[in-house]
Amino acid sequence: MTEFKPLVFSGVQPTGNLHLGNYLGAIRKFVALQENNDCIYCVVDMHALTAQLVHEDMATQIRSITAAFLAAGIDPEKHIVFNQSQVPQHAELAWIFNCVARIGWMNRMTQFKDKAGKDREQASLGLYAYPSLMAADILVYRATHVPVGDDQKQHLELARDIAMKFNMDFHDKIVPTGLGIDIKVGEEPVHAYFPMVEPLIDGPAPRVMSLKDGTKKMSKSDPSDLSRINLMDDQDAIAKKIRKAKTDPDALPSEVDGLKGRPEADNLVGIFAALADKSKAEVLSEFGGQQFSVFKPALIDLAIEVLAPITTEMRRLMEDPGHIDAVLRDGSARARVRAEKTMNEVRDIIGFVR
Ligand code: TYM
């Protein structure tokens, strides 16, 4: 039994300001993973058209996500940083996956239901097909590991279903090409062209919650700016938002179990832990028994210590868009070579003449 070569892939949409959830749920993990892995990080600009077609500041948004990747510490020379629209193979594989995925599978996607809202008839076809493009983003590189926040879990399960169905449906075509690999899915041996992607969702803050309501996800679309810390917030804004964050009247518990039923406390402890690269248990062993009047100032200091250098570097990078564009062009050229290799193999497996 062989294994697919480990390869990390993830993407971030260029819509709205990045916030602490994007940073802790995704970008901070991207940085850690690059130490021991081959990584591809993508600004998924084509996804940005699904909910809203016309964006006044599309180019600025693409550059700003790229700047965040670089400022957080991603090395675009050792790894690949690029924007999706410069690698048309994503869209090409997505079309094939549109023909693999079943409508019943797409109908289960909770994010589509949330984003389409009540007037589903008016949602774009792109919003509906979004998870199929997301599967193509990953599988056009035959990537194996995908660091994301908890909200993307269902989309990654769909990517596995699409990969599995492709592998099964084309089994007899994959075997003669010699391009498949014998893997195990559970106990089942499967001859696979596409790997079963592993989501990397662990860590103390897989789902960062709103600072105003610990039961709601921190999100760019929340009308209250006090609900989130934006990566471009200055130190005063960070301090103010944490000071005003909702809490309960009790002291922090000494054990993780004591956070049950206390969503705001759980969220702030998770944020502290993720920023400090510690577990929640370690944070509570330090702060258990303390009031929020002690914990919040410590969290403010830590958040500023971690985020301020990133914000400063992002601002510096944004002053030189030519440099950012050059990074994206170089990354896209390298990504295209890899993606085209997969597409040639997929064309051969399907039987397209080339
Ligand atoms: P997007 O752009 O909405 O978010 C980017 C990343 O941030 C994570 N995230 C969070 N993590 C923790 N707590 C939160 N409150 C929070 N909010 C957002 C998201 O889980 C994500 O990891 N569909 C994806 C983009 C995408 C993609 C891909 C990801 C397109 N193709 C292929 C991985 C692989 C999205 O809309 O993420």
Side-chain angles (χ1 to χ4, degrees):
M1 210 64 67
T2 33
E3 295 271 331
F4 281 90
K5 198 164 154 267
L7 173 65
V8 173
F9 180 95
S10 197
V12 176
Q13 284 198 63
T15 44
N17 289 334
L18 285 174
H19 54 67
L20 190 63
N22 301 125
Y23 177 64
L24 295 179
I27 299 173
R28 194 172 168 88
K29 293 190 214 159
F30 300 176
V31 179
L33 283 162
Q34 64 173 352
E35 293 308 317
N36 296 314
N37 298 277
D38 184 11
C39 303
I40 305 181
Y41 296 128
C42 182
V43 182
V44 288
D45 47 12
M46 295 198 306
H47 281 275
L49 305 182
T50 57
Q52 179 192 328
L53 182 58
V54 181
H55 297 253
E56 296 309 328
D57 56 351
M58 176 65 96
T60 308
Q61 292 283 350
I62 294 170
R63 292 182 186 123
S64 150
I65 306 291
T66 314
F69 285 177
L70 304 182
I74 292 167
D75 181 340
E77 285 173 14
K78 281 205 193 115
H79 303 277
I80 293 181
V81 172
F82 75 107
N83 58 317
Q84 189 185 27
S85 59
Q86 294 202 60
V87 184
Q89 288 83 353
H90 289 234
E92 189 181 354
L93 186 59
W95 176 256
I96 292 164
F97 285 174
N98 284 348
C99 301
V100 174
R102 307 288 94 181
I103 287 180
W105 302 358
M106 309 310 281
N107 284 344
R108 284 201 289 274
M109 295 296 115
T110 55
Q111 201 163 79
F112 172 74
K113 291 179 199 166
D114 291 348
K115 288 201 176 166
K118 285 199 193 86
D119 199 0
R120 214 177 280 180
E121 297 286 306
Q122 282 306 314
S124 73
L125 185 53
L127 187 67
Y128 190 60
Y130 178 117
S132 166
L133 177 59
M134 180 164 159
D137 297 335
I138 303 162
L139 294 172
V140 83
Y141 305 100
R142 297 166 93 193
T144 55
H145 293 83
V146 183
V148 281
D150 178 68
D151 59 339
Q152 297 299 316
K153 198 170 169 182
Q154 195 186 32
H155 290 160
L156 293 182
E157 283 161 10
L158 185 91
R160 290 170 68 102
D161 290 343
I162 289 177
M164 187 67 149
K165 182 163 164 55
F166 183 96
N167 291 334
M168 297 294 198
D169 288 354
F170 287 100
H171 176 269
D172 294 346
K173 310 252 185 213
I174 295 169
V175 173
T177 62
L179 297 167
I181 290 180
D182 288 321
I183 57 167
K184 265 197 170 167
V185 179
E187 285 308 300
E188 288 294 305
V190 173
H191 192 68
Y193 177 73
F194 286 120
M196 296 292 113
V197 292
E198 292 280 340
L200 302 174
I201 304 184
D202 48 351
R207 191 176 189 85
V208 177
M209 308 308 272
S210 154
L211 298 179
K212 293 271 111 197
D213 177 350
T215 63
K216 263 177 42 190
K217 193 179 72 166
M218 183 178 285
S219 110
K220 8 190 171 197
S221 54
D222 193 314
S224 165
D225 195 51
L226 285 175
S227 70
R228 67 186 156 258
I229 292 174
N230 303 302
L231 275 196
M232 290 304 256
D233 280 346
D234 62 22
Q235 307 195 6
D236 289 345
I238 294 175
K240 178 174 147 202
K241 288 175 180 180
I242 295 178
R243 231 180 285 120
K244 287 186 173 258
K246 186 176 170 200
T247 50
D248 56 39
D250 296 337
L252 283 171
S254 309
E255 309 284 335
V256 178
D257 257 4
L259 292 171
K260 278 203 189 114
R262 298 180 62 187
E264 284 83 17
D266 190 18
N267 190 36
L268 294 183
V269 170
I271 290 173
F272 193 110
L275 286 169
D277 285 327
K278 289 182 175 168
S279 64
K280 285 187 196 173
E282 284 171 302
V283 175
L284 291 179
S285 73
E286 193 182 338
F287 288 98
Q290 301 277 12
Q291 296 294 333
F292 282 102
S293 54
V294 175
F295 182 68
K296 277 187 170 179
L299 179 57
I300 290 171
D301 288 348
L302 175 63
I304 290 174
E305 186 190 317
V306 174
L307 300 178
I310 299 177
T311 311
T312 309
E313 181 62 2
M314 268 178 82
R315 287 187 208 282
R316 192 187 69 79
L317 287 163
M318 286 300 281
E319 279 167 21
D320 187 358
H323 169 68
I324 296 181
D325 294 0
V327 166
L328 291 173
R329 255 195 318 275
D330 171 67
S332 300
R334 284 153 57 218
R336 260 193 317 267
V337 173
R338 295 200 194 190
E340 183 58 6
K341 178 171 183 293
T342 305
M343 282 318 299
N344 273 330
E345 294 173 355
V346 168
R347 290 176 197 123
D348 288 348
I349 288 169
I350 294 177
F352 287 153
V353 174
R354 66 180 180 98

